[in-house]
Amino acid sequence: MRLIIRSGSPRAIDEWREKFKIHAPALDVVDWHDDIDPATVDYALVWAPDPGRLATFPRLKLIISAGAGVDHIVSDPAWPRHLRIARMVTPRTETEMAEYVLTSALMLTRDVKRAIDQQARRHWELYDSLRVAADIRVGIMGLGHLGIAAARLLSRVGFPVAGWSRGASTLPDGLPSYAGQAQFGEFLSRTDLLVCLLPATESTRGILNRDTFAQLPRGASLINAGRGAHMVTQDVLDALNSGHLHQAVLDVFDPEPLPPDSPLWTHPNIIITPHCAAIPDREERARHTAWLIEANERGEALPNIYDPARGY
Ligand code: NDP
Ligand code: OXD
């Protein structure tokens, strides 16, 4: 059985091979750039595969996304639509994302950016007052694996958390949740810190826009760790410049890498992280991939399969 991998730098293949030796010793692991016969590939573990290449593997049985999102695969117009795509959702992904959102929320709550900027200028100026978690109503867009993990952690720390999703969702500990366009306005109007953990689909593209921001209370903040395509960049900048939005922590951009001349880099009220909210380690991804392949070979149902009708 052969697995082809395109994920990480070309040097990463050695580490992948090491991990698969532990979790699937019989698997023949080849790198995306190896000179192989396309007809020998059974499984593909990929992040942003070169458009058209997946369609050249006639024996391919399953596409495994190296991440939780699949937009980097389905943006290929030629991706083989008769195949299923398994999303990489592991316990570690959930923990890493939840901790990213918590870290960002606490940085915004305590205005850490201001202290860092003051330090850069060797400027000592006292804060007038402090806010604590209980003062900031967090609203999480997207209540999938990651949104629920973030909701649970932030709520434990004391943030009043609510969530919003497409259909009605049940949040842990009885936290309130809102559904669909009909309840979007109500959700936004009670949100001081908007967290986007949506997948990139036709209906979520550009959802972080001026109309959305206008429905938040003045002085609200934003964390976007979903996808760059969710943001209308000019609307984010306008909302920050007008003071309607206070601050933003942004992890994802369109395009990536964020171009050096983007005004987002230098905005005083933006914290930028380089798409690193969750990067599950190769050990866990190899273990999960090995398990998916075995389950698929046994003809069992697989979890977290991309649904083309929903777009996620
Ligand atoms: P899931 O598929 O488990 O959950 C998606 C959630 O979004 C569901 O609650 C779904 O609603 C909701 N949703 C989808 N479309 C809409 C819509 N139009 N309106 C309202 N709600 C909608 O996704 P995950 O939690 O696993 O991952 C979410 C995303 O996080 C990924 O797709 C990826 O883009 C991003 N990500 C970012 C990372 C980073 O490092 N920055 C790392 C990993 C993922 P419903 O419950 O009704 O189905
Ligand atoms: C993912 C990501 O989708 O890292 O897993 O963005």
Side-chain angles (χ1 to χ4, degrees):
M1 195 95 59
R2 177 166 273 183
L3 169 72
I4 195 164
I5 300 186
R6 190 198 187 286
S7 172
S9 74
R11 286 188 315 278
I13 194 65
D14 294 336
E15 193 186 337
W16 280 118
R17 285 207 174 99
E18 214 177 278
K19 304 302 179 198
F20 278 105
K21 217 171 269 168
I22 303 167
H23 296 291
L27 201 60
D28 177 24
V29 175
V30 296
D31 182 66
W32 193 251
H33 304 286
D34 288 349
D35 185 17
I36 47 125
D37 174 1
T40 59
V41 173
D42 300 287
Y43 290 91
L45 169 61
V46 290
W47 180 266
D50 314 54
R53 178 89 190 275
L54 286 172
T56 67
F57 304 133
R59 204 170 82 182
L60 194 60
K61 299 178 190 174
L62 179 70
I63 302 166
I64 302 159
S65 170
V70 297
D71 45 304
H72 58 99
I73 298 171
V74 300
S75 56
D76 170 3
W79 79 273
R81 288 173 171 70
H82 63 285
L83 293 177
R84 289 169 303 160
I85 305 176
R87 302 191 308 110
M88 183 70 64
V89 187
T90 68
R92 175 94 183 192
T93 323
E94 294 174 12
T95 303
E96 289 184 1
M97 181 58 83
E99 290 186 359
Y100 176 88
V101 176
L102 175 62
T103 305
S104 305
L106 288 172
M107 283 197 301
L108 293 168
T109 303
R110 299 300 292 254
D111 207 351
V112 171
K113 176 105 173 62
R114 177 176 152 189
I116 291 171
D117 291 347
Q118 289 187 190
Q119 181 183 356
R121 292 183 287 122
R122 297 169 186 246
H123 175 72
W124 182 276
E125 186 183 332
L126 295 175
Y127 287 31
D128 283 338
S129 59
L130 289 177
R131 296 183 302 173
V132 295
D135 300 331
I136 317 276
R137 295 166 298 172
V138 173
I140 300 181
M141 302 166 78
L143 299 176
H145 295 83
L146 306 185
I148 288 185
R152 185 177 287 125
L153 184 60
L154 268 71
S155 155
R156 279 199 200 129
V157 171
F159 288 97
V161 176
W164 178 75
S165 58
R166 206 167 64 119
S169 297
T170 306
L171 276 178
D173 309 325
L175 298 173
S177 77
Y178 299 79
Q181 277 309 315
Q183 295 182 343
F184 194 39
E186 198 185 336
F187 163 75
L188 293 171
S189 67
R190 54 73 57 207
T191 292
D192 303 311
L193 171 53
L194 187 64
V195 179
C196 179
L197 291 176
L198 289 166
T201 69
E202 277 313 306
S203 44
T204 61
R205 170 173 289 276
I207 195 166
L208 299 175
N209 60 35
R210 126 190 6 201
D211 291 343
T212 298
F213 300 144
Q215 295 175 73
L216 294 168
R218 188 173 175 79
S221 290
L222 169 70
I223 297 171
N224 185 20
R227 281 292 181 260
H230 292 135
M231 284 189 301
V232 178
T233 300
Q234 192 55 52
D235 290 1
V236 173
L237 290 166
D238 290 347
L240 286 166
N241 290 337
S242 72
H244 190 74
L245 276 186
H246 175 52
Q247 285 190 336
V249 180
L250 308 177
D251 185 56
V252 283
F253 305 90
D254 185 16
E256 289 182 8
L258 184 62
D261 61 353
S262 168
L264 296 173
W265 280 116
T266 48
H267 197 286
N269 294 335
I270 294 179
I271 295 173
I272 286 178
T273 56
H275 200 146
C276 59
I279 313 171
D281 68 5
R282 294 205 173 95
E283 171 89 45
E284 186 159 290
R285 284 190 283 175
R287 189 186 320 121
H288 186 66
T289 301
W291 178 82
L292 280 172
I293 291 174
E294 280 168 25
N296 193 56
E297 289 295 316
R298 289 194 299 265
E300 291 170 10
L302 304 179
N304 301 314
I305 294 294
Y306 164 68
D307 177 350
R310 292 186 318 181
Y312 61 99

Coordinates of all heavy atoms in Angstrom, one line a residue, residues 67-151:
G67 N -4.7 19.1 7.3 CA -5.3 20.1 8.2 C -6.8 19.8 8.4 O -7.4 19.0 7.7
A68 N -7.4 20.7 9.3 CA -8.8 20.5 9.5 C -9.6 21.1 8.3 O -10.7 20.6 8.0 CB -9.2 21.3 10.8
G69 N -9.1 22.2 7.7 CA -9.8 22.7 6.5 C -9.5 21.9 5.3 O -8.5 21.2 5.2
V70 N -10.4 22.1 4.3 CA -10.2 21.4 3.0 C -10.1 22.4 1.8 O -10.0 22.0 0.7 CB -11.3 20.4 2.7 CG1 -11.3 19.3 3.8 CG2 -12.6 21.0 2.6
D71 N -10.2 23.7 2.1 CA -10.2 24.7 1.0 C -9.0 24.6 0.2 O -9.0 24.9 -1.0 CB -10.4 26.1 1.6 CG -9.5 26.3 2.8 OD1 -9.6 25.5 3.8 OD2 -8.7 27.3 2.8
H72 N -7.9 24.2 0.8 CA -6.6 24.1 0.0 C -6.6 22.9 -1.0 O -5.7 22.8 -1.8 CB -5.4 23.9 1.0 CG -5.6 22.8 1.9 ND1 -4.9 21.6 1.7 CD2 -6.3 22.5 3.0 CE1 -5.3 20.7 2.6 NE2 -6.1 21.3 3.4
I73 N -7.6 22.1 -0.8 CA -7.8 20.9 -1.8 C -8.9 21.2 -2.8 O -8.7 21.1 -4.0 CB -8.1 19.6 -1.0 CG1 -6.9 19.3 -0.1 CG2 -8.3 18.5 -2.0 CD1 -7.3 18.1 0.9
V74 N -10.0 21.7 -2.3 CA -11.2 21.8 -3.2 C -11.1 23.1 -4.1 O -11.9 23.3 -4.9 CB -12.5 21.7 -2.4 CG1 -12.7 20.4 -1.7 CG2 -12.7 22.9 -1.5
S75 N -10.1 23.9 -3.8 CA -9.8 25.1 -4.7 C -9.2 24.6 -6.0 O -9.1 25.4 -6.9 CB -9.0 26.1 -4.0 OG -7.7 25.5 -3.6
D76 N -8.7 23.3 -6.0 CA -8.2 22.8 -7.3 C -9.4 22.4 -8.1 O -10.1 21.5 -7.8 CB -7.4 21.5 -6.9 CG -7.0 20.7 -8.1 OD1 -7.3 21.1 -9.3 OD2 -6.3 19.6 -7.9
P77 N -9.6 23.0 -9.3 CA -10.8 22.7 -10.1 C -10.8 21.3 -10.6 O -11.9 20.8 -10.9 CB -10.6 23.7 -11.3 CG -9.4 24.5 -11.1 CD -8.7 24.1 -9.9
A78 N -9.6 20.6 -10.6 CA -9.6 19.2 -11.1 C -9.6 18.2 -10.0 O -9.3 17.0 -10.2 CB -8.4 19.1 -12.0
W79 N -9.8 18.6 -8.7 CA -9.7 17.6 -7.7 C -10.7 16.4 -7.9 O -11.8 16.7 -8.4 CB -9.8 18.1 -6.3 CG -11.2 18.4 -5.8 CD1 -11.9 19.6 -6.0 CD2 -12.1 17.6 -5.0 NE1 -13.2 19.5 -5.3 CE2 -13.3 18.2 -4.7 CE3 -11.9 16.3 -4.5 CZ2 -14.3 17.7 -4.0 CZ3 -12.9 15.7 -3.7 CH2 -14.1 16.4 -3.5
P80 N -10.3 15.2 -7.7 CA -11.1 14.0 -8.1 C -12.4 13.9 -7.3 O -12.3 13.4 -6.1 CB -10.2 12.8 -8.0 CG -9.0 13.3 -7.2 CD -9.0 14.8 -7.2
R81 N -13.5 14.4 -7.8 CA -14.7 14.6 -7.0 C -15.4 13.2 -6.6 O -16.3 13.2 -5.8 CB -15.7 15.5 -7.7 CG -15.3 16.9 -7.6 CD -16.1 17.8 -8.5 NE -15.8 19.2 -8.3 CZ -14.7 19.8 -8.7 NH1 -13.8 19.1 -9.3 NH2 -14.5 21.1 -8.4
H82 N -15.0 12.2 -7.2 CA -15.6 10.9 -6.8 C -15.0 10.3 -5.5 O -15.5 9.4 -5.0 CB -15.4 9.8 -8.0 CG -13.9 9.5 -8.2 ND1 -13.1 10.4 -8.9 CD2 -13.2 8.5 -7.9 CE1 -11.9 9.9 -8.9 NE2 -11.9 8.7 -8.3
L83 N -13.9 11.0 -5.1 CA -13.2 10.5 -3.9 C -13.7 11.3 -2.6 O -14.2 12.4 -2.8 CB -11.7 10.7 -4.0 CG -11.0 9.8 -5.0 CD1 -9.6 10.2 -5.1 CD2 -11.2 8.3 -4.7
R84 N -13.5 10.7 -1.5 CA -13.8 11.4 -0.2 C -12.6 12.1 0.3 O -11.5 11.7 0.0 CB -14.3 10.4 0.8 CG -15.7 9.9 0.5 CD -16.1 8.7 1.4 NE -15.1 7.7 1.3 CZ -14.9 6.7 2.2 NH1 -15.6 6.7 3.3 NH2 -14.0 5.8 2.0
I85 N -12.8 13.2 1.0 CA -11.7 13.9 1.7 C -11.9 13.8 3.2 O -13.0 14.2 3.7 CB -11.6 15.4 1.3 CG1 -11.6 15.6 -0.2 CG2 -10.4 16.0 2.0 CD1 -11.6 17.0 -0.7
A86 N -10.9 13.2 3.9 CA -11.0 13.1 5.3 C -10.3 14.3 5.9 O -9.1 14.6 5.6 CB -10.4 11.8 5.8
R87 N -11.0 15.1 6.8 CA -10.3 16.2 7.5 C -9.5 15.8 8.7 O -9.9 14.8 9.4 CB -11.4 17.2 8.0 CG -12.3 17.7 6.9 CD -13.2 18.9 7.3 NE -13.9 18.7 8.5 CZ -13.7 19.3 9.7 NH1 -12.7 20.1 9.8 NH2 -14.5 19.0 10.7
M88 N -8.4 16.4 8.9 CA -7.5 16.1 10.0 C -7.9 16.8 11.3 O -7.5 17.9 11.5 CB -6.1 16.5 9.6 CG -5.0 16.1 10.7 SD -4.7 14.3 10.8 CE -4.0 13.9 9.1
V89 N -8.8 16.2 12.0 CA -9.2 16.8 13.3 C -8.7 15.8 14.4 O -9.2 14.7 14.5 CB -10.7 17.0 13.4 CG1 -11.1 17.7 14.6 CG2 -11.2 17.7 12.1
T90 N -7.8 16.3 15.2 CA -7.3 15.4 16.3 C -7.5 16.2 17.6 O -7.7 17.4 17.6 CB -5.8 15.2 16.1 OG1 -5.1 16.4 16.2 CG2 -5.5 14.6 14.7
P91 N -7.4 15.5 18.7 CA -7.5 16.1 20.0 C -6.5 17.3 20.2 O -6.8 18.3 20.7 CB -7.2 15.0 21.0 CG -7.6 13.8 20.3 CD -7.3 14.0 18.8
R92 N -5.3 17.1 19.6 CA -4.3 18.1 19.7 C -4.6 19.4 18.9 O -4.4 20.5 19.4 CB -3.0 17.5 19.2 CG -1.8 18.4 19.1 CD -1.0 18.3 20.3 NE 0.1 19.3 20.2 CZ 1.1 19.3 21.0 NH1 1.3 18.4 21.9 NH2 2.1 20.2 20.9
T93 N -5.3 19.2 17.8 CA -5.7 20.4 17.0 C -6.7 21.2 17.9 O -6.6 22.4 17.9 CB -6.5 19.9 15.7 OG1 -5.9 18.8 15.1 CG2 -6.6 21.1 14.7
E94 N -7.6 20.5 18.5 CA -8.6 21.2 19.3 C -7.9 21.9 20.5 O -8.2 23.1 20.8 CB -9.6 20.2 19.9 CG -10.4 19.5 18.8 CD -11.4 18.4 19.3 OE1 -11.5 18.3 20.6 OE2 -11.9 17.7 18.5
T95 N -7.0 21.3 21.2 CA -6.3 21.9 22.3 C -5.5 23.1 21.8 O -5.6 24.2 22.4 CB -5.4 20.9 23.0 OG1 -6.1 19.8 23.4 CG2 -4.7 21.5 24.2
E96 N -4.8 22.9 20.7 CA -3.9 24.1 20.3 C -4.8 25.3 19.9 O -4.5 26.4 20.2 CB -3.1 23.6 19.1 CG -2.0 22.6 19.5 CD -1.1 22.3 18.3 OE1 -1.3 22.7 17.2 OE2 -0.2 21.4 18.5
M97 N -5.9 25.0 19.2 CA -6.8 26.1 18.8 C -7.4 26.8 20.0 O -7.4 28.0 20.1 CB -7.8 25.6 17.8 CG -8.8 26.8 17.3 SD -7.9 28.1 16.5 CE -7.7 27.5 14.8
A98 N -7.9 26.0 20.9 CA -8.6 26.5 22.1 C -7.5 27.4 22.9 O -7.9 28.5 23.3 CB -9.1 25.4 23.0
E99 N -6.3 27.0 23.0 CA -5.3 27.7 23.7 C -4.9 29.0 22.9 O -4.6 30.0 23.5 CB -4.1 26.9 24.0 CG -4.4 25.8 25.0 CD -3.2 25.0 25.5 OE1 -2.1 25.2 25.0 OE2 -3.4 24.1 26.4
Y100 N -4.9 28.9 21.6 CA -4.6 30.1 20.8 C -5.7 31.2 21.1 O -5.4 32.4 21.3 CB -4.6 29.8 19.3 CG -4.4 31.0 18.4 CD1 -3.1 31.5 18.1 CD2 -5.5 31.7 17.9 CE1 -2.9 32.6 17.3 CE2 -5.3 32.9 17.2 CZ -4.0 33.3 16.9 OH -3.8 34.4 16.1
V101 N -7.0 30.7 21.0 CA -8.1 31.7 21.2 C -8.0 32.3 22.6 O -8.2 33.5 22.8 CB -9.4 31.1 20.9 CG1 -10.6 32.0 21.2 CG2 -9.5 30.6 19.5
L102 N -7.7 31.4 23.6 CA -7.6 31.9 25.0 C -6.5 32.9 25.2 O -6.7 34.0 25.7 CB -7.4 30.7 26.0 CG -7.2 31.1 27.4 CD1 -8.4 31.9 28.0 CD2 -6.8 29.9 28.3
T103 N -5.3 32.6 24.6 CA -4.2 33.5 24.7 C -4.5 34.8 24.1 O -4.3 35.9 24.7 CB -3.0 32.9 23.9 OG1 -2.7 31.6 24.4 CG2 -1.7 33.8 24.1
S104 N -5.1 34.8 22.9 CA -5.5 36.0 22.2 C -6.5 36.8 23.0 O -6.4 38.1 23.1 CB -6.0 35.7 20.8 OG -5.1 34.9 20.1
A105 N -7.5 36.1 23.5 CA -8.6 36.8 24.3 C -8.0 37.5 25.5 O -8.3 38.6 25.8 CB -9.6 35.8 24.7
L106 N -7.0 36.8 26.2 CA -6.4 37.4 27.4 C -5.5 38.6 27.0 O -5.5 39.6 27.7 CB -5.6 36.4 28.2 CG -6.5 35.4 28.9 CD1 -5.7 34.2 29.5 CD2 -7.4 36.0 30.0
M107 N -4.8 38.5 25.8 CA -4.0 39.6 25.4 C -4.9 40.8 25.1 O -4.5 42.0 25.5 CB -3.2 39.2 24.1 CG -2.0 38.4 24.4 SD -0.9 38.3 23.0 CE -1.9 37.7 21.7
L108 N -6.0 40.6 24.5 CA -6.9 41.7 24.2 C -7.5 42.3 25.5 O -7.6 43.5 25.7 CB -8.0 41.3 23.3 CG -7.6 40.9 21.8 CD1 -8.7 40.2 21.1 CD2 -7.1 42.1 21.1
T109 N -7.9 41.4 26.4 CA -8.5 41.8 27.6 C -7.6 42.7 28.4 O -8.0 43.8 29.0 CB -8.9 40.6 28.5 OG1 -9.8 39.7 27.7 CG2 -9.6 41.0 29.8
R110 N -6.3 42.3 28.5 CA -5.3 43.1 29.3 C -4.5 44.1 28.5 O -3.6 44.7 28.9 CB -4.3 42.1 30.0 CG -5.0 41.1 30.9 CD -5.8 41.8 32.0 NE -4.9 42.5 32.9 CZ -4.5 42.0 34.1 NH1 -5.1 41.0 34.6 NH2 -3.7 42.7 34.9
D111 N -4.9 44.3 27.2 CA -4.3 45.3 26.3 C -2.8 45.1 26.3 O -2.0 46.1 26.5 CB -4.7 46.7 26.7 CG -4.6 47.6 25.4 OD1 -4.1 47.2 24.4 OD2 -5.0 48.8 25.5
V112 N -2.3 43.9 26.1 CA -0.9 43.6 26.1 C -0.2 44.3 24.9 O 1.0 44.7 25.1 CB -0.7 42.0 25.9 CG1 0.7 41.7 25.7 CG2 -1.2 41.3 27.2
K113 N -0.9 44.5 23.8 CA -0.3 45.2 22.7 C 0.2 46.6 23.1 O 1.3 47.0 22.7 CB -1.3 45.3 21.5 CG -0.8 46.0 20.3 CD -0.5 45.1 19.2 CE -0.2 45.8 17.8 NZ 0.9 46.6 17.9
R114 N -0.6 47.2 23.9 CA -0.2 48.6 24.3 C 1.1 48.6 25.1 O 2.0 49.4 24.9 CB -1.3 49.2 25.2 CG -1.0 50.6 25.7 CD -2.1 51.2 26.4 NE -1.6 52.1 27.5 CZ -2.4 52.7 28.4 NH1 -3.7 52.4 28.4 NH2 -1.8 53.5 29.3
A115 N 1.3 47.6 26.0 CA 2.5 47.5 26.8 C 3.7 47.2 25.9 O 4.8 47.7 26.1 CB 2.3 46.4 27.9
I116 N 3.5 46.3 24.9 CA 4.6 45.9 24.0 C 5.0 47.2 23.2 O 6.2 47.5 23.0 CB 4.2 44.8 23.1 CG1 4.1 43.5 23.9 CG2 5.2 44.6 21.9 CD1 3.5 42.3 23.2
D117 N 4.0 47.9 22.7 CA 4.3 49.1 21.9 C 5.1 50.2 22.8 O 6.0 50.8 22.4 CB 3.1 49.7 21.3 CG 2.5 48.9 20.3 OD1 3.2 47.9 19.8 OD2 1.3 49.1 19.9
Q118 N 4.6 50.3 24.1 CA 5.2 51.2 25.0 C 6.7 50.8 25.2 O 7.6 51.7 25.3 CB 4.5 51.3 26.3 CG 3.2 52.1 26.2 CD 2.4 52.3 27.5 OE1 1.3 52.7 27.5 NE2 3.1 52.1 28.7
Q119 N 6.9 49.5 25.4 CA 8.3 49.0 25.6 C 9.2 49.4 24.4 O 10.3 49.8 24.6 CB 8.2 47.5 25.8 CG 9.6 47.0 26.1 CD 9.6 45.4 26.2 OE1 8.6 44.8 26.2 NE2 10.8 44.9 26.4
A120 N 8.6 49.2 23.2 CA 9.4 49.5 22.0 C 9.9 50.9 22.0 O 10.9 51.3 21.5 CB 8.7 49.1 20.8
R121 N 9.1 51.8 22.6 CA 9.4 53.3 22.6 C 10.0 53.7 24.0 O 10.2 54.8 24.2 CB 8.1 54.1 22.4 CG 7.5 53.9 21.0 CD 6.3 54.8 20.8 NE 5.1 54.3 21.6 CZ 4.5 55.0 22.5 NH1 4.8 56.2 22.8 NH2 3.4 54.5 23.1
R122 N 10.3 52.7 24.9 CA 10.8 53.0 26.2 C 10.0 54.0 26.9 O 10.5 55.0 27.5 CB 12.3 53.5 26.1 CG 13.2 52.5 25.6 CD 14.6 53.0 25.3 NE 15.4 52.0 24.6 CZ 16.5 51.5 25.1 NH1 16.9 51.9 26.2 NH2 17.1 50.6 24.4
H123 N 8.7 53.8 26.8 CA 7.7 54.8 27.3 C 6.9 54.2 28.4 O 6.3 53.2 28.3 CB 6.8 55.2 26.1 CG 5.7 56.1 26.5 ND1 5.9 57.5 26.8 CD2 4.3 55.9 26.6 CE1 4.7 58.0 27.1 NE2 3.8 57.1 27.0
W124 N 6.9 54.9 29.6 CA 6.3 54.4 30.8 C 5.0 55.2 30.9 O 5.0 56.4 31.2 CB 7.2 54.6 32.0 CG 6.6 54.1 33.2 CD1 5.7 54.7 34.1 CD2 6.8 52.8 33.8 NE1 5.4 53.9 35.1 CE2 6.0 52.7 35.0 CE3 7.5 51.7 33.4 CZ2 6.0 51.6 35.8 CZ3 7.5 50.5 34.3 CH2 6.7 50.5 35.4
E125 N 3.8 54.5 30.8 CA 2.6 55.2 31.0 C 1.6 54.2 31.6 O 1.4 53.1 31.1 CB 2.0 55.7 29.6 CG 0.7 56.5 29.8 CD 0.2 56.9 28.4 OE1 0.9 56.9 27.4 OE2 -1.1 57.0 28.3
L126 N 1.1 54.6 32.8 CA 0.2 53.7 33.5 C -1.1 53.5 32.8 O -1.6 54.3 32.1 CB -0.1 54.2 34.9 CG 1.1 54.4 35.9 CD1 0.7 55.0 37.2 CD2 1.8 53.0 36.2
Y127 N -1.7 52.3 33.0 CA -3.0 52.0 32.5 C -4.0 52.6 33.5 O -3.8 52.7 34.7 CB -3.3 50.5 32.4 CG -2.6 49.8 31.3 CD1 -1.4 50.1 30.8 CD2 -3.2 48.6 30.8 CE1 -0.8 49.4 29.8 CE2 -2.6 47.9 29.8 CZ -1.4 48.3 29.3 OH -0.8 47.6 28.3
D128 N -5.2 53.1 33.0 CA -6.2 53.7 33.9 C -6.9 52.6 34.7 O -7.3 52.8 35.9 CB -7.2 54.5 33.1 CG -6.7 55.8 32.7 OD1 -5.7 56.3 33.3 OD2 -7.2 56.4 31.7
S129 N -7.2 51.5 34.0 CA -8.1 50.5 34.6 C -7.8 49.2 33.9 O -7.1 49.1 32.9 CB -9.5 50.8 34.5 OG -9.8 51.0 33.1
L130 N -8.3 48.1 34.5 CA -8.1 46.8 33.9 C -9.5 46.1 33.7 O -10.4 46.4 34.4 CB -7.3 45.9 34.8 CG -5.8 46.2 35.0 CD1 -5.2 45.3 36.0 CD2 -5.1 46.1 33.6
R131 N -9.5 45.3 32.6 CA -10.7 44.4 32.5 C -10.3 43.0 32.8 O -9.1 42.6 32.7 CB -11.2 44.5 31.0 CG -11.6 45.9 30.6 CD -12.2 45.9 29.2 NE -11.2 45.5 28.2 CZ -11.5 45.3 27.0 NH1 -12.7 45.5 26.5 NH2 -10.5 44.9 26.1
V132 N -11.3 42.2 33.2 CA -11.1 40.8 33.4 C -12.0 40.0 32.5 O -12.9 40.6 31.9 CB -11.3 40.4 34.9 CG1 -10.3 41.1 35.8 CG2 -12.8 40.7 35.3
A133 N -11.7 38.7 32.5 CA -12.5 37.8 31.5 C -14.0 38.0 31.6 O -14.7 38.1 30.6 CB -12.1 36.4 31.7
A134 N -14.4 38.1 32.9 CA -15.9 38.2 33.1 C -16.5 39.5 32.4 O -17.7 39.5 32.2 CB -16.2 38.2 34.6
D135 N -15.7 40.5 32.1 CA -16.2 41.7 31.5 C -16.4 41.6 30.0 O -17.0 42.5 29.4 CB -15.2 42.9 31.7 CG -14.9 43.1 33.2 OD1 -15.8 42.9 34.0 OD2 -13.8 43.6 33.5
I136 N -15.9 40.5 29.4 CA -15.8 40.5 27.9 C -16.7 39.3 27.4 O -16.4 38.1 27.6 CB -14.4 40.2 27.4 CG1 -13.4 41.0 28.2 CG2 -14.3 40.3 25.9 CD1 -13.2 42.4 27.7
R137 N -17.8 39.7 26.7 CA -18.7 38.7 26.2 C -18.1 38.2 24.9 O -18.0 38.9 23.9 CB -20.1 39.2 26.0 CG -20.8 39.6 27.3 CD -22.0 40.5 27.0 NE -21.6 41.7 26.3 CZ -22.5 42.6 25.8 NH1 -23.8 42.4 25.9 NH2 -22.1 43.7 25.2
V138 N -17.7 36.9 24.9 CA -17.1 36.3 23.7 C -18.2 35.7 22.8 O -19.1 35.0 23.3 CB -16.1 35.3 24.1 CG1 -15.5 34.5 22.9 CG2 -14.9 35.9 24.8
G139 N -18.1 35.9 21.5 CA -19.0 35.2 20.6 C -18.2 34.4 19.5 O -17.4 35.0 18.8
I140 N -18.4 33.1 19.5 CA -17.7 32.3 18.6 C -18.5 31.9 17.4 O -19.6 31.3 17.5 CB -17.2 31.0 19.3 CG1 -16.3 31.4 20.5 CG2 -16.4 30.1 18.4 CD1 -15.8 30.3 21.4
M141 N -18.0 32.3 16.2 CA -18.6 31.9 14.9 C -18.0 30.6 14.5 O -16.8 30.5 14.2 CB -18.3 33.0 13.9 CG -18.7 34.3 14.2 SD -18.0 35.6 13.1 CE -19.0 35.3 11.6
G142 N -18.9 29.6 14.4 CA -18.4 28.2 14.0 C -18.3 27.4 15.2 O -17.5 27.6 16.1
L143 N -19.2 26.4 15.4 CA -19.3 25.6 16.5 C -19.0 24.1 16.2 O -19.7 23.2 16.5 CB -20.6 25.7 17.2 CG -20.9 27.1 17.7 CD1 -22.3 27.2 18.3 CD2 -19.9 27.5 18.8
G144 N -17.9 24.0 15.4 CA -17.4 22.6 15.0 C -16.5 22.2 16.1 O -16.5 22.6 17.3
H145 N -15.6 21.3 15.8 CA -14.6 20.7 16.8 C -13.9 21.9 17.4 O -13.7 21.9 18.7 CB -13.7 19.8 16.1 CG -14.3 18.6 15.5 ND1 -14.9 18.6 14.3 CD2 -14.5 17.3 16.0 CE1 -15.4 17.4 14.1 NE2 -15.2 16.6 15.1
L146 N -13.4 22.8 16.6 CA -12.5 23.8 17.2 C -13.3 24.9 18.0 O -12.9 25.3 19.0 CB -11.7 24.5 16.1 CG -11.0 23.5 15.2 CD1 -10.1 24.2 14.2 CD2 -10.1 22.5 16.1
G147 N -14.5 25.3 17.4 CA -15.3 26.3 18.1 C -15.7 25.8 19.5 O -15.7 26.5 20.5
I148 N -16.1 24.6 19.5 CA -16.6 24.0 20.8 C -15.5 23.9 21.8 O -15.6 24.2 23.0 CB -17.3 22.7 20.6 CG1 -18.7 23.0 19.9 CG2 -17.5 21.9 21.9 CD1 -19.6 21.8 19.7
A149 N -14.3 23.5 21.3 CA -13.1 23.4 22.2 C -12.8 24.8 22.8 O -12.5 24.9 24.0 CB -12.0 22.8 21.5
A150 N -12.8 25.8 21.9 CA -12.5 27.1 22.4 C -13.6 27.6 23.4 O -13.3 28.2 24.4 CB -12.4 28.1 21.2
A151 N -14.8 27.4 23.1 CA -15.9 27.8 23.9 C -15.8 27.2 25.3 O -15.9 27.9 26.4 CB -17.3 27.4 23.4

